[in-house]
DNA sequence: AAGAGACTCAACCGCCAGACT
DNA sequence: TAGTCTGGCGGTTGAGTCTCT
């Protein structure tokens, strides 16, 4: 590639692993002068490397703000959450993990996280359950959700049978539907999953619901199949107002149950699914979703994006 | 102990977009 | 407008290490 001419000079440039001596030269130069123009650095610092190689070495190894060591469980969970939304946008994912590089995250994903997800029965590409039996009673294969995450703001659209529905940001005034659910009840085949963020198990959920104490996060691709619940960063719920009729929602053994500790993500409820199963009237519009239970005098409205 | 296979991770490759000429 | 340069990105590679038999 002609574009790579700068890295394939006539003069012999070193390749492969960096020696301590080279590291020192690069570190000393950048510490003194900053990196400036990367392509000029090899000459100025006395290295026989191409500028790209210097840049990579600095970003992935020499930068002083790098966090060393193995990833924490929280970091791994966050990567999975972010990957569900962003896909293989490693640099964007890395932007949410201070001190971690895109290369490091990519390696972790390819060597470890993909495998872990598969072991949990989740397709690492789609973040959907691998087994279709895990899917609930909605026609989820007709759903086509897409999502994006940037600057701590989630944007998403989700269409169902051609109708754009069902992605919401939490309105702080909207009651948290999971706050008063007792588990387990008779099964409606619902899956309760986390939204976006770190996951914590719901303490009251018995192990029969999910053998593993940690919850699985399914993220956007399963939005219409899940209930999302948001917590503040300090662990408190946005609202603990009970919605008694939601106590009728249950999970199957093996379903994933979790709570997202939000990153500006809110409640998502598969309103149609809930409405059908509970025989509740439901209204879906482009800008809000409402559930009603007139007999109990309850209603819940969520604003869409 | 040794060989094979699996795994990890640093580094390279090729492509792209934006800036510059 | 077209060509070139540069930085940045995601995919891939391969050497080194680990684990298993």
């Amino acid at each position: 590639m002609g574009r790579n001419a700068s890295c394939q000079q006539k003069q012999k440039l070193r390749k492969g692993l960096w020696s301590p001596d080279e590291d020192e030269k690069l570190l000393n130069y950048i510490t003194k002068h900053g990196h400036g123009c990367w392509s000029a650095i090899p000459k100025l610092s006395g290295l026989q490397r191409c500028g790209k190689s210097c840049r990579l070495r600095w970003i992935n190894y020499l930068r002083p703000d790098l966090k060393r060591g193995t990833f924490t469980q929280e970091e791994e969970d966050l990567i999975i959450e972010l990957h569900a939304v962003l896909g293989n946008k490693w640099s964007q994912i890395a932007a949410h993990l201070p001190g971690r590089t895109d290369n490091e995250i990519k390696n972790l994903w390819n060597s470890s996280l993909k495998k872990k997800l598969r072991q949990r029965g989740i397709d690492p590409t789609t973040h959907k359950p691998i087994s279709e039996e895990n899917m609930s009673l909605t026609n989820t294969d007709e759903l086509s959700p897409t999502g994006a995450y940037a600057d701590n703001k989630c944007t998403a659209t989700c269409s169902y049978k051609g109708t754009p529905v069902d992605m919401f940001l939490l309105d702080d005034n909207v009651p948290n539907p999971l706050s008063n659910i007792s588990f387990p009840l008779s099964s409606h085949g619902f899956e309760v999953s986390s939204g976006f963020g770190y996951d914590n198990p719901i303490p009251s959920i018995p192990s029969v619901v999910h053998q593993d104490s940690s919850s699985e996060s399914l993220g956007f691709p399963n939005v219409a199949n899940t209930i999302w619940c948001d917590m503040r960063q300090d662990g408190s719920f946005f609202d603990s107002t009970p919605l008694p009729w939601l106590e009728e929602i249950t999970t199957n053994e093996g379903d994933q149950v979790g709570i997202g500790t939000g990153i500006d993500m809110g409640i998502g409820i598969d309103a149609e699914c809930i409405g059908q199963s509970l025989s509740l009237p439901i209204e879906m519009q482009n800008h809000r979703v409402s559930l009603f239970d007139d007999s109990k005098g309850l209603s819940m409205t969520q604003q869409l994006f």
Side-chain angles (χ1 to χ4, degrees), chain A residues 55 59-60 63 82-83 86-98 100-106 149:
Chain A
R55 176 184 162 272
I59 288 173
N60 288 336
R63 242 168 60 196
L82 290 165
H83 188 274
L86 297 168
N88 294 359
K89 304 284 181 196
W90 306 117
S91 60
Q92 290 181 42
I93 292 173
H96 291 88
L97 289 114
R100 300 297 189 181
T101 69
D102 54 355
N103 209 33
E104 214 177 357
I105 292 168
K106 183 170 54 182
Y149 180 77

Side-chain angles (χ1 to χ4, degrees), chain A residues 196-254:
Chain A
F196 191 90
Y198 302 111
D199 299 334
N200 292 318
I202 299 173
S204 63
I205 295 172
S207 59
V208 69
V209 175
H210 194 262
Q211 299 299 331
D212 186 337
S213 64
S214 67
S215 65
E216 304 290 348
S217 172
L218 302 179
F220 281 136
N222 294 282
V223 60
N225 208 25
T226 64
I227 291 174
W228 291 359
C229 170
D230 212 358
M231 291 168 71
R232 291 195 167 87
Q233 297 289 3
D234 64 5
S236 65
F237 287 106
F238 277 99
D239 195 319
S240 59
T241 308
L243 285 176
W245 53 266
L246 277 172
E247 289 182 16
E248 295 180 49
I249 298 172
T250 63
T251 62
N252 286 323
E253 181 172 357

Side-chain angles (χ1 to χ4, degrees), chain A residues 76-84 109 113 117 120 127 217:
Chain A
E76 288 191 2
D77 290 343
L78 182 55
I79 290 167
I80 292 169
E81 299 285 351
L82 290 165
H83 188 274
W109 180 262
L113 295 185
L117 283 178
R120 296 172 186 173
H127 291 260
S217 172

